[in-house]
């Protein structure tokens, strides 16, 4: 008896929870003043760009990269001040590291817990890996709701907790004592995601040795290397040697390894750029606060979240004026009428502020 041919479709084969997802949307940005993705607006000095040109010209791109990224890890260590005994795992962006963590901990029924609103990839990657996602609401001013979070931890017994420190898209730095209480109460692994460390006043890297269940994740994307795709996870060898098994062997290419190593040898250049961005953040915040109808939230990152009436129309008004920011209205209910602007160069921010004022005036 011959089998009846069945029609194979994506709908019949792809897991329903994947079909229910929307792909992470990246809007076209060519020609815009681009203030939507927390990129560093500054170029590198000409001399350094010349050095990078030579370095890439001589690179052995016919060879696989160093799978252990030995040199690059040394350079990361030299700028990171890891407590002794702590190791590194590298990712093709820190997004990939979130995925490695979830893959490792996704026992049937295991919970990935975070707070809301926060970085959307935590929830997406929970779906990719079959973990059950639990999001604990932040308070009205986007602080941690410590009691609610501790209650959820007790109830859900999460295998994996992500806390973005500072948080995206809200920009604030959570209370460090509350984060410590969460680490102590969690029966699973807590990952403090320090994507915005270069713009923030605090870090959990110095506390790594204090907690067996703490890892700290960082990315170089927001510091000026978004195009290289490089993030790292720092923590004890006991954790990282297990997670290494899930890292695909050549996940950081030859060119990103070479270029990032060179840039980290000129870390002072990047830190000076981060310093300018922080100063510009202060200026942008003070101007935003003077615009009638705009409420800007405090930020320790390289972006500012603000609320304005008719946010989606304002967002469109900005776009018509050539400025692209991020519209968060219509997503999480706590972000109703909220927009997020990346801190750009003074010239970019001036264009943004003029376009914002004009868009508000037009709708008034
Ligand atoms: C941007 C961001 C990341 C991811 O950055 P990569 O470019 O993938 O390294 C991770 N966490 C938070 C909170 C972010 O904002």
């Amino acid at each position: 008896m011959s089998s009846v041919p069945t029609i194979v479709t994506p709908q019949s084969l792809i897991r329903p929870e994947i079909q229910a997802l929307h792909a992470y949307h990246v809007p076209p940005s060519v020609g815009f003043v681009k203030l939507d993705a927390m990129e560093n607006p500054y170029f590198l000095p000409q001399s350094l760009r010349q050095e990078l040109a030579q370095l890439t010209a001589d690179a052995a791109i016919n060879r696989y990269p160093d799978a252990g990224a030995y040199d690059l890890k040394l350079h990361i260590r030299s700028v990171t001040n890891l407590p002794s005994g702590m190791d590194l795992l590298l990712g093709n962006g820190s997004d990939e590291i979130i995925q490695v963590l979830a893959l490792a901990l996704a026992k049937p029924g295991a919970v990935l817990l975070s707070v809301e609103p926060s970085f959307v990839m935590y929830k997406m990657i929970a779906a990719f890996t079959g973990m059950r996602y639990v999001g604990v609401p932040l308070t009205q001013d986007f602080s941690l709701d410590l009691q609610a979070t501790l209650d959820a931890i007790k109830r859900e017994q999460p295998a994996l907790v992500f806390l973005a420190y500072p948080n995206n898209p809200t920009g604030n730095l959570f209370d460090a004592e509350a984060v410590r209480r969460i680490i102590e109460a969690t029966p699973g692994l807590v990952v403090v995601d320090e994507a915005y460390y270069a713009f923030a006043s605090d870090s959990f890297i110095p506390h790594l040795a204090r907690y067996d269940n703490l890892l700290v994740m960082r990315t170089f994307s927001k510091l000026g290397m978004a195009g290289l795709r490089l993030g790292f996870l720092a923590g004890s060898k006991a954790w990282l040697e297990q997670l290494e098994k899930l890292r695909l062997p050549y996940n950081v290419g030859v060119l990103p390894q070479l270029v990032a190593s060179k840039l980290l040898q000129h870390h002072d250049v990047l830190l000076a750029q981060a310093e300018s961005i922080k100063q510009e953040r202060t200026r942008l915040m003070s101007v935003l606060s003077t615009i009638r109808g705009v409420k800007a939230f405090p930020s320790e990152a390289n972006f500012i979240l603000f609320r304005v009436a008719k946010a989606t129309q304002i967002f469109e008004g900005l776009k018509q004026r050539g400025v692209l920011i991020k519209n968060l209205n219509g997503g999480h209910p706590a972000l109703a009428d909220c927009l997020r602007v990346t801190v750009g160069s003074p010239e970019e921010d001036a264009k943004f502020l003029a376009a914002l004022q004009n868009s508000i005036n037009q709708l008034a």
Side-chain angles (χ1 to χ4, degrees), residues 37-38 92-96 98 118-119 122 164-168 193 195-196 217-222 226 229-231 303 340:
M38 284 78 91
N92 190 310
S94 50
D95 285 348
E96 188 185 48
I98 302 171
S118 187
F119 190 46
Y122 307 144
Y165 189 80
N167 192 34
N168 172 16
D193 178 353
Y196 300 95
M217 187 172 76
R218 286 185 172 181
T219 174
F220 292 112
S221 294
K222 279 72 187 209
R229 307 303 298 131
L230 180 64
F303 61 86
R340 186 190 67 196

Side-chain angles (χ1 to χ4, degrees), residues 333-347:
L335 297 173
D337 272 335
C338 283
L339 303 175
R340 186 190 67 196
V341 62
T342 303
V343 179
S345 65
E347 299 73 35

Side-chain angles (χ1 to χ4, degrees), residues 182-259:
I182 289 169
I183 298 168
E184 285 161 11
T186 299
L189 180 63
V190 177
V191 178
V192 174
D193 178 353
E194 298 187 350
Y196 300 95
Y197 75 96
F199 314 99
S201 61
D202 192 34
S203 166
F204 272 77
I205 284 194
H207 307 309
L208 273 173
R210 269 235 308 269
Y211 302 104
D212 287 337
N213 65 333
L214 171 66
L215 298 175
V216 175
M217 187 172 76
R218 286 185 172 181
T219 174
F220 292 112
S221 294
K222 279 72 187 209
L223 186 62
M225 304 186 214
L228 293 182
R229 307 303 298 131
L230 180 64
F232 69 82
L233 188 65
S236 70
K237 196 178 166 74
W239 279 108
L240 296 194
E241 73 184 3
Q242 295 299 325
L243 297 169
E244 270 291 337
K245 299 173 188 174
L246 286 162
R247 186 181 64 82
L248 296 177
Y250 303 114
N251 65 330
V252 182
V254 169
L255 296 179
Q257 288 194 34
L258 275 173
V259 173

Side-chain angles (χ1 to χ4, degrees), residues 291-307:
I291 300 181
R292 269 191 58 186
V294 170
K295 175 180 166 38
F297 294 92
S299 171
E300 293 223 18
N302 63 341
F303 61 86
I304 294 175
L305 182 78
F306 62 98
R307 181 168 275 134

